[in-house]
Amino acid sequence: MALNSINPTQTKAWSKLTKHFETIKDGHMKTWFKENSNRADEFTIKWEDFYVDFSKNRITSETLELFKELAEELKLDDAISKYFQGDIINHTEGRAVLHTALRAPADAEVIIDGANVMPEIYKVKGLIKTFSDAIINGTKKGYTNKPFTDIVNIGIGGSDLGPAMVVDSLSFYANHLKPHYVSNVDGDHVNEVLKRLNPETTLFVIVSKTFTTQETLSNATTIKEWFLKYGTQADVAKHFVAVSTNTSKVEAFGIVPSNIFPMWDWVGGRFSLWSAVGLSISLAVGYEHFDSLLKGAHKMDTHFKEEKFETNIPVVLAFLSVWYNNFFKAESEAVIPYTQYLNQFATYLQQAIMESNGKSIDRSGNQVDYQTGNLVWGEPGTNSQHAFFQLIHQGTKLIPADFIGFTKSLHGNKDHQDKLISNFFAQTEALLNGKTEAEVRAEGTPSEIVPFKVFEGNKPTNTIFIKQLTPESLGKLIAMYEHKIFVQGVVWNVFSYDQFGVELGKQLATKILDEINTGSVTSHDASTINLLNYYEKNS
Ligand code: F6P
């Protein structure tokens, strides 16, 4: 097995962290800020265009020291090397995990099964560039010789969320092609999209690593049938392309080999936006921007691989997340981007984080007796301030939060930007300091109302402040979370790159569909039988 299997809770460092936790768990961050005038600088990492201030956390310098000891005991260094060099760290599926190779420079060498995969990666990048250039500049046209106006990505999970999030996030950089994403097997989804499309000017990109996914194949079939009401079978080749590892299944679906963009089994679905799965990104914002996204991710890869742990952004963020999850017993964490462009960022992270580390069996095959995977959620600020922030400020749950902001807006409206950033700073300050009873009284609040207006404060936040939202900085940000996920998986001693937990529901759905089609309900629990009967009567 490529990665070690060490129960983190049995390490010396974990025992020390447990004792240390007892000594600081009731401390208030605002006291530590008063005691240490250097705290903000001490706990800030400046790297490239990133300013990461993690000083508003319930940690002292000893906490970080102890996490460093933990990382050494767990041989994190060795795990990082194995991750980048293509060892089979996805042990349960017998695969390497090499999305990092997709953004490495052409002269890098990444060996899998004795062969360097970089030439193959760059060959596919070449195909992506040529194809997207031809669609964007109109040299490739639809079946009635009109240039394309719309592109539809048909995929789900990693074959949808990553590209959809990036395209939405980079909409400032978009060209004239209108992107659409069809994912849900809910027929209303596909029909809502179709009603806005002209078959003569729409390109369909079917994305499925396995090409066996029910949702994607159903949507692709429905769309092809819709298209054939207008165009002919021969026209399909002009309007349908696919991204997959399963070329025989793609061809069986009716897509010509020259319209297939390959990918590889060493790219996990939720980490695949850097591969041809990102074709819709390259189409929507152009290949140069797609390539900048990859270059940004590569810069973060290098930082993660080479930087010492105490100033390594993904490592520090992972330590903090473990600290709250396992010691403070925090149930979830929030990601709050202060830009509307990152509207879909938390949704994307939910798959990346929860499909990776939502595991309860350790790398020795034993049930863990400690908490693993975080629940992650969030919405952009300032909207979220007017929605769920009440609970973060005054609720009973501890919710550590990442605040992501940009020093410059893209449209340059300074008035709005100053207001946005004032809110961005104000929230983390309020979460840190809270408001004491004395302060509330001093405002002249009637005595019986005072308790309701007190804020405890001491709520942890990370401020990830980036110069501007560009394809490159977005690439860095996504890769930052990917590596945070990796570090947490190493610490929790789980396999982060399989997803067997999604299989059972899929199998049962296939069985139930069969029963709906044949009308013969077999063995189910009483609740499911009632539901099936109710559906049969009412559908
Ligand atoms: O449902 C889980 C999953 O396997 C994801 O991991 C994956 O991203 C998604 O389904 C889609 O899979 P595919 O790209 O093979 O259609």
Side-chain angles (χ1 to χ4, degrees):
M1 183 166 70
L3 295 178
N4 294 303
S5 173
I6 304 171
N7 180 338
T9 66
Q10 302 300 311
T11 59
K12 288 199 195 92
W14 197 276
S15 308
K16 288 189 197 170
L17 278 163
T18 309
K19 283 199 196 103
H20 170 66
F21 172 71
E22 287 305 319
T23 64
I24 74 158
K25 68 180 193 326
D26 299 319
H28 202 295
M29 287 188 276
K30 70 180 174 191
T31 318
W32 299 332
F33 270 100
K34 273 188 204 126
E35 286 169 359
N36 177 5
S37 58
N38 202 31
R39 184 178 169 90
D41 290 331
E42 203 181 307
F43 294 143
T44 293
I45 303 171
K46 291 178 196 155
W47 170 78
E48 294 242 333
D49 49 346
F50 275 47
Y51 181 106
V52 180
D53 178 350
F54 59 100
S55 62
K56 294 185 181 93
N57 275 290
R58 290 167 73 169
I59 56 164
T60 65
S61 40
E62 195 186 344
T63 323
L64 274 191
E65 270 306 308
L66 294 176
F67 264 105
K68 227 182 100 187
E69 281 184 40
L70 178 69
E72 277 152 20
E73 270 189 81
L74 298 176
K75 301 187 175 53
L76 176 60
D77 253 336
D78 176 59
I80 294 173
S81 307
K82 286 175 169 158
Y83 171 33
F84 279 90
Q85 76 199 17
D87 285 19
I88 308 295
I89 63 165
N90 178 358
H91 174 75
T92 43
E93 294 182 328
R95 293 171 186 168
V97 175
L98 274 177
H99 46 277
T100 51
L102 299 167
R103 54 232 193 182
D107 58 0
E109 206 176 61
V110 182
I111 308 291
I112 298 187
D113 295 330
N116 182 12
V117 291
M118 294 313 298
E120 180 67 13
I121 289 173
Y122 271 77
K123 200 173 123 198
V124 177
K125 282 178 82 172
L127 295 177
I128 296 172
K129 178 175 170 22
T130 313
F131 183 77
S132 31
D133 284 354
I135 297 289
I136 296 165
N137 65 30
T139 45
K140 253 190 195 298
K141 295 185 169 65
Y143 70 97
T144 54
N145 222 22
K146 290 183 182 152
F148 288 98
T149 55
D150 293 74
I151 44 173
V152 181
N153 187 94
I154 310 161
I156 197 164
S159 299
D160 165 72
L161 291 165
M165 178 276 289
V166 171
V167 166
D168 195 39
S169 304
L170 296 182
S171 49
F172 178 79
Y173 303 89
N175 54 40
H176 64 282
L177 293 172
K178 206 161 175 261
H180 309 265
Y181 288 82
V182 175
S183 51
N184 202 324
V185 77
D186 172 8
D188 290 343
H189 188 189
V190 61
N191 282 304
E192 273 304 322
V193 174
L194 284 178
K195 81 181 189 195
R196 284 179 223 124
L197 299 174
N198 175 357
E200 294 172 52
T201 58
T202 304
L203 175 76
F204 298 100
V205 184
I206 310 172
V207 185
S208 178
K209 182 177 166 182
T210 55
F211 223 78
T212 56
T213 305
Q214 183 196 52
E215 291 90 338
T216 304
L217 294 189
S218 305
N219 284 325
T221 305
T222 301
I223 289 174
K224 202 169 92 173
E225 281 165 10
W226 171 84
F227 178 82
L228 288 173
K229 282 190 215 149
Y230 309 93
T232 65
Q233 188 61 45
D235 298 329
V236 168
K238 287 196 164 150
H239 288 260
F240 287 78
V241 299
V243 180
S244 186
T245 56
N246 195 341
T247 41
S248 55
K249 278 229 172 348
V250 180
E251 283 178 50
F253 179 82
I255 293 195
V256 292
S258 56
N259 279 357
I260 304 175
F261 292 80
M263 61 184 291
W264 308 273
D265 70 358
W266 39 263
V267 182
R270 53 194 174 274
F271 303 102
S272 63
L273 68 91
W274 321 99
S275 69
V277 169
L279 184 60
S280 62
I281 305 173
S282 182
L283 287 162
V285 298
Y287 181 81
E288 301 311 320
H289 288 317
F290 177 62
D291 199 40
S292 299
L293 180 88
L294 269 57
K295 289 205 170 93
H298 177 68
K299 285 189 181 171
M300 183 55 82
D301 294 344
T302 309
H303 166 79
F304 175 58
K305 210 163 45 163
E306 294 175 358
E307 188 66 38
K308 56 185 189 307
F309 292 157
E310 50 272 50
T311 42
N312 188 315
I313 302 169
V315 171
V316 168
L317 294 181
F319 286 168
L320 291 166
S321 184
V322 172
W323 182 231
Y324 294 116
N325 187 64
N326 295 79
F327 294 89
F328 282 89
K329 311 287 182 217
E331 288 153 13
S332 72
E333 54 192 40
V335 176
I336 319 290
Y338 273 68
T339 166
Q340 200 56 33
Y341 286 116
L342 292 189
N343 191 27
Q344 295 187 33
F345 197 59
T347 312
Y348 157 78
L349 283 180
Q350 283 176 336
Q351 185 199 16
I353 294 174
M354 290 156 76
E355 201 167 80
S356 298
N357 286 331
K359 314 285 165 66
S360 52
I361 301 296
D362 71 14
R363 290 200 289 267
S364 297
N366 300 319
Q367 180 77 37
V368 297
D369 57 2
Y370 47 86
Q371 287 293 314
T372 62
N374 319 91
L375 284 164
V376 62
W377 55 284
E379 283 290 325
T382 57
N383 295 20
S384 49
Q385 293 176 197
H386 300 271
F388 54 74
F389 267 48
Q390 164 67 37
L391 187 145
I392 302 185
H393 281 287
Q394 284 190 315
T396 53
K397 292 178 173 58
L398 180 71
I399 302 171
D402 286 351
F403 278 67
I404 302 167
F406 296 87
T407 57
K408 280 197 165 80
S409 69
L410 290 173
H411 285 277
N413 188 327
K414 185 82 167 71
D415 174 49
H416 277 266
Q417 176 69 1
D418 289 347
K419 287 175 184 155
L420 177 74
I421 295 301
S422 310
N423 277 280
F424 178 60
F425 294 155
Q427 288 298 329
T428 60
E429 191 174 26
L431 287 163
L432 159 68
N433 289 321
K435 201 176 200 182
T436 62
E437 191 184 321
E439 285 167 332
V440 178
R441 281 191 196 286
E443 286 174 347
T445 310
S447 289
E448 69 276 18
I449 300 298
V450 168
F452 302 100
K453 292 198 161 185
V454 170
F455 289 64
E456 189 191 354
N458 216 15
K459 315 282 190 208
T461 58
N462 295 310
T463 300
I464 299 156
F465 209 15
I466 304 168
K467 291 225 165 102
Q468 200 160 31
L469 178 58
T470 61
E472 185 178 309
S473 65
L474 181 65
K476 289 172 181 165
L477 185 70
I478 301 169
M480 180 191 88
Y481 279 103
E482 288 181 343
H483 299 320
K484 177 185 168 189
I485 292 167
F486 170 81
V487 175
Q488 287 180 280
V490 171
V491 172
W492 288 325
N493 199 27
V494 295
F495 289 118
S496 302
Y497 298 99
D498 60 23
Q499 56 284 318
F500 298 120
V502 300
E503 295 306 324
L504 178 60
K506 286 188 197 171
Q507 283 163 10
L508 275 179
T510 308
K511 180 171 174 247
I512 292 175
L513 178 62
D514 199 40
E515 290 171 9
I516 290 173
N517 287 336
T518 57
S520 77
V521 174
T522 57
S523 57
H524 291 285
D525 58 89
S527 158
T528 308
I529 289 175
N530 281 351
L531 290 166
L532 270 161
N533 289 335
Y534 184 82
Y535 178 64
E536 206 179 315
K537 278 192 206 108
N538 293 286
S539 65

